[in-house]
Amino acid sequence: DEMRDRVVLGEFGVRNVHTTDFPGNYPGYEDAWDQRRFEEAFRVDIIREEESALEFDMVGIDAAIANAFRRILLAEVPTMAVEKVFVYNNTSIVQDEILAHRLGLIPIRADPRLFEYRNQGDEEGTEIDTLQFQLKIKCSRNPQAAKESSDPNELYFNHKVYSKHMTWVPLGNQTELFPDADFRPVHDDILLALLRPGQEIDVLMHCVKGIGKDHAKFSPVATASYRLLPDITLLQPIEDEAAEMLQKCFSPGVIEIQNIKGKKVARVANARLDTFSREVFRHEALKNLVRLARVRNHYIFSVESTGILPPDVLVSEAIKILMGKCQRFLNELDSVPME
C-alpha cells in the first residue's frame, strides 16, 4: 500500500516516484481505470481564497492531469495585453523599443471573454478585438518651487510617468458595447519613465487577446504551482529533549509538544505546513524515528493572479480549456477510419 499511495523521502533519495496505476502492476490489485471509482474518489477542496490568490486541493488525480492544469493556467488561458505601440513623440531617455516592451508587460484589467482574437495581419483592429489606450504626458517646471530646492517632486510637474496615465480610448461603438466597462491597468503605480522639463511621451497602444504560449505578457498568473500533500509519521513516541529537537527540524506549526503525565511528547499537528527540508535526517537520534512521505494523488495547488481575472475564474477557464482539448481528441478519434 505504501508503494501505491506514498512517495517516500529518504536520507539520500526519494522512493516510489513513478506512476504505477495500470492493470497488473501489483498482484491482487485491480488498477484498471474505472469512471465510477474515479468520480467517487475525486474531489476539490477550497482551502484559502483571496482577491488575487487561491489555494485548493485536488484529490484523486494523476500527476499528468495536475500538470496539465498548471500548464494551461500558465500558457493557454487568454488575456488582453498591449501588442502594438504607435509612437508619435518620445523625447524621454527611454528608447522607443524599451518603452514599448514596458507597456506590453503591464497587466490590463479587461475581461478577455468579451473580445475575439485579432486576425493575423490586421493592423487597424476593430471594436470586437482591440482595446485602445493613449499615453500622452509632458514634463514642465513648477514656477512655485523654492529656488534652493533639489527635490524633483517639488521642482517639476509630471516628471514620473506611471501606468495610471494610460487612458482608454474607445474604438468604434465600444462605448455602447461596454457601457459599464472600466478598462485600465491593474496597478496604477507602475513606473514607466522619468522625464525632465521639455521631455514628453505621446503614444497610442493597441491591446489584443492572446495566450502565454505566444508571449509571457499574456500569462494571467504570477505563479501557478502544485505540490503533493506532506505525510509525516512518528514511528515511536518521541519525548523530552528529543521532542524539542524534532520540533526545530520542521517548519513552525508542523510539530507540537504536549505535556502528558509530566513528559513532553511530540505529535504531528499539521503536516501540510511542512516544506520537507529533511533536516531531521541530520540527527542520528531522530532519523530512524520519523517517516517522511507525500500522498501520491493529493495535490495542493496555489494560483496567484496578476489581477486581470480573479483566480477562481482562471481555474474554471482552465477546466473549460482542458475539456475542449478532450472533446477535440474524441472528435479526432471518431473521424479517423478504423482499419
Side-chain angles (χ1 to χ4, degrees):
D1 287 339
E2 178 184 289
M3 292 177 66
R4 297 173 74 246
D5 301 333
R6 295 292 187 271
V7 176
V8 181
L9 285 80
E11 184 177 2
F12 299 108
V14 183
R15 304 195 308 272
N16 310 335
V17 297
H18 301 294
T19 299
T20 58
D21 298 335
F22 52 86
N25 190 56
Y26 298 107
Y29 288 97
E30 178 54 54
D31 283 328
W33 192 84
D34 180 75
Q35 183 172 343
R36 181 187 58 81
R37 190 165 62 230
F38 169 78
E39 291 176 354
E40 291 175 354
F42 178 74
R43 74 175 194 271
V44 175
D45 301 326
I46 305 298
I47 305 301
R48 177 174 56 89
E49 185 173 4
E50 299 174 0
E51 183 180 357
S52 61
L54 177 68
E55 182 180 327
F56 64 94
D57 291 359
M58 194 173 285
V59 185
I61 60 171
D62 188 73
I65 304 299
N67 199 45
F69 278 116
R70 183 188 69 86
R71 291 176 66 95
I72 289 172
L73 281 166
L74 287 170
E76 296 189 54
V77 176
T79 63
M80 302 292 289
V82 174
E83 176 73 6
K84 299 287 185 182
V85 178
F86 303 93
V87 182
Y88 296 105
N89 195 4
N90 176 24
T91 54
S92 71
I93 63 169
V94 182
Q95 294 95 333
D96 295 351
E97 294 81 2
I98 303 300
L99 179 62
H101 184 260
R102 289 188 177 187
L103 293 170
L105 295 176
I106 295 175
I108 304 297
R109 192 185 296 277
D111 192 336
R113 294 171 294 182
L114 301 175
F115 298 89
E116 303 292 337
Y117 287 100
R118 183 191 277 195
N119 294 326
Q120 192 171 6
D122 185 1
E123 293 291 335
E124 298 298 325
T126 64
E127 61 271 12
I128 64 170
D129 60 25
T130 303
L131 272 178
Q132 186 172 255
F133 286 87
Q134 185 179 40
L135 175 61
K136 189 172 184 178
I137 187 169
K138 184 175 182 178
C139 179
S140 60
R141 293 187 181 275
N142 179 11
Q144 307 298 325
K147 292 184 178 180
E148 65 276 5
S149 175
S150 59
D151 183 5
N153 294 317
E154 184 180 350
L155 290 172
Y156 314 124
F157 291 128
N158 296 328
H159 75 288
K160 289 184 177 180
V161 183
Y162 289 107
S163 53
K164 65 182 178 181
H165 294 124
M166 294 170 55
T167 57
W168 174 44
V169 181
L171 269 174
N173 63 341
Q174 284 184 340
T175 306
E176 291 76 28
L177 286 174
F178 315 112
D180 301 322
D182 183 24
F183 300 131
R184 57 183 176 83
V186 172
H187 305 287
D188 291 334
D189 57 349
I190 301 175
L191 184 63
L192 300 174
L194 294 176
L195 302 180
R196 285 299 179 262
Q199 295 181 346
E200 63 179 303
I201 294 176
D202 183 6
V203 299
L204 196 66
M205 294 155 276
H206 282 182
C207 296
V208 301
K209 186 175 180 178
I211 57 176
K213 189 188 298 184
D214 296 329
H215 196 288
K217 67 185 177 185
F218 292 112
S219 183
V221 293
T223 180
S225 62
Y226 62 81
R227 60 190 178 98
L228 290 172
L229 177 71
D231 179 45
I232 302 172
T233 305
L234 304 184
L235 302 178
Q236 67 182 58
I238 301 176
E239 302 172 347
D240 299 327
E241 292 183 3
E244 294 180 350
M245 186 186 303
L246 180 71
Q247 187 180 45
K248 295 176 182 178
C249 291
F250 292 91
S251 304
V254 175
I255 302 294
E256 73 173 12
I257 297 178
Q258 296 178 327
N259 196 318
I260 300 177
K261 296 181 180 181
K263 290 186 177 181
K264 296 178 180 178
V265 181
R267 64 175 289 271
V268 179
N270 189 356
R272 184 189 187 91
L273 300 176
D274 193 40
T275 58
F276 278 143
S277 64
R278 295 195 278 189
E279 176 72 15
V280 68
F281 292 125
R282 299 182 61 185
H283 302 278
E284 289 292 333
L286 295 176
K287 67 180 183 180
N288 295 321
L289 305 181
V290 181
R291 189 196 72 168
L292 303 182
R294 291 182 182 270
V295 182
R296 183 187 292 278
N297 67 346
H298 190 136
Y299 295 87
I300 302 173
F301 274 83
S302 296
V303 178
E304 184 180 338
S305 170
T306 58
I308 296 172
L309 289 172
D312 57 325
V313 175
L314 295 178
V315 173
S316 64
E317 289 298 305
I319 293 173
K320 292 177 185 177
I321 291 172
L322 183 59
M323 291 171 62
K325 287 174 177 286
C326 295
Q327 189 59 55
R328 286 196 298 273
F329 179 68
L330 292 174
N331 294 339
E332 286 290 331
L333 289 178
D334 293 338
S335 63
V336 176
M338 300 296 292
E339 294 184 359

